[in-house]
Amino acid sequence: MFLAPAHFTIVAEASDADGSIASVQFIMQTTNLDTGEPARLANRYSTAVTNVPRGDYVLMVVVKDNGGLSSTSAPVIVHVLAPAPINVITPIQVNPQTGLFQQTVRVGNITEDVFEAVRVYVHGLTNDTIVYNASGTNAGVPYLQSLTSISPGGYLEMVFEYYSPARIPPDPTFVTEVLPTKPGATPAPTGLQVPVHRGLFLPDGTFLLEFSTVTNRFYVVEYSGDFKGWTAAQQPPIPGNGTSVQWIDNGQPKTESAPAAAGARFYRVILLP
């Protein structure tokens, strides 16, 4: 299985006990793959195909020897998928701690390649609804971006947080995109460390921080597993409103994993200059 537009190499082994191989022809569906003379290494022949659109394809190889005899390989089925499959794990519900709507989605990798990073774009939001923890936007469309890779056969879950002034639950649709490289960690910002007034594990395995804020100032939460290397949580800076703010670590895309899955996790809050 591959994701469209797919790029892969077809490899065949061919030999002739009483002569030599005269030609090797690769066929996908009923179309001869006119890629020129296939590459050869000993008895192995190969050809590369690129930009294969979504669909199911039958691959075969026809080999002829120097005596004019031919042999056709058994067919191999290749599935080209688009996009990466995504499922909604939890329905949209209000988080009573933050007042935000949230839902969890799961992106699966059913290919044989590693997904270095995945973006999940959110469409269909009303004009006044925002993705509160968006990793960024592309052409005005907000997205969440994974912090870790997805191994073949594995999956990754991310939590979407929505802010709706009208308190109307959103009805989003999702589109996934697999990125060729893993994003680098966000460097720890400079600023003044502020006190955390409260920190506790919640029943759902998330972790809550509460700290006081100053109006029109912005804050960043950092986390660490050893009190030495600190990483900024992946989300826009938190705006201060002059009161206490509650921030919840619910895993990706804010931090690389759910707090309950981490061996140890420490937090600090930075007031940006």
Side-chain angles (χ1 to χ4, degrees), residues 16-266:
D16 185 20
D18 59 358
S20 60
I21 300 297
S23 67
V24 175
Q25 182 182 55
F26 293 90
I27 296 175
M28 187 163 66
Q29 301 290 70
T30 58
T31 302
N32 178 19
L33 295 177
D34 188 12
T35 57
E37 191 70 21
R40 179 179 180 183
L41 179 62
N43 291 332
R44 294 170 63 89
Y45 299 79
S46 64
T47 190
V49 293
T50 59
N51 295 315
V52 180
R54 180 180 182 178
D56 296 330
Y57 299 90
V58 180
L59 302 181
M60 292 184 295
V61 181
V62 178
V63 179
K64 293 183 179 180
D65 68 4
N66 59 317
L69 298 177
S70 65
S71 179
T72 301
S73 71
V76 173
I77 308 298
V78 172
H79 305 283
V80 179
L81 311 173
I86 182 170
N87 296 297
V88 176
I89 301 301
T90 60
I92 292 180
Q93 53 193 354
V94 176
N95 186 317
Q97 294 289 341
T98 62
L100 300 172
F101 291 102
Q102 68 180 45
Q103 69 182 145
T104 303
V105 302
R106 176 181 294 173
V107 181
N109 181 1
I110 58 176
T111 75
E112 296 181 357
D113 299 317
V114 175
F115 290 175
E116 295 296 342
V118 173
R119 282 182 181 176
V120 180
Y121 292 91
V122 191
H123 296 266
L125 299 179
T126 58
N127 292 335
D128 60 346
T129 300
I130 65 172
V131 180
Y132 191 79
N133 62 334
S135 304
T137 60
N138 186 357
V141 180
Y143 62 81
L144 298 192
Q145 183 166 299
S146 67
L147 301 180
T148 55
S149 59
I150 308 178
S151 301
Y155 65 87
L156 179 145
E157 293 183 354
M158 290 190 281
V159 178
F160 278 88
E161 294 177 335
Y162 308 96
Y163 172 68
S164 171
R167 312 304 298 155
I168 299 175
D171 185 21
T173 57
F174 302 106
V175 175
T176 57
E177 177 188 8
V178 177
L179 304 181
T181 58
K182 184 185 301 182
T186 300
T190 58
L192 177 67
Q193 185 173 342
V194 301
V196 175
H197 300 314
R198 187 163 65 126
L200 72 157
F201 264 109
L202 299 178
D204 60 359
T206 62
F207 194 86
L208 178 144
L209 298 179
E210 184 175 288
F211 54 94
S212 296
T213 65
V214 177
T215 304
N216 296 326
R217 298 297 297 272
F218 291 88
Y219 301 79
V220 170
V221 175
E222 298 179 344
Y223 65 100
S224 172
D226 56 9
F227 261 121
K228 298 178 181 178
W230 292 89
T231 302
Q234 297 276 339
Q235 72 172 82
I238 303 165
N241 57 15
T243 65
S244 292
V245 167
Q246 291 184 339
W247 181 88
I248 293 180
D249 180 3
N250 46 22
Q252 298 214 34
K254 294 178 183 177
T255 57
E256 62 187 16
S257 66
R265 183 164 293 172
F266 309 97

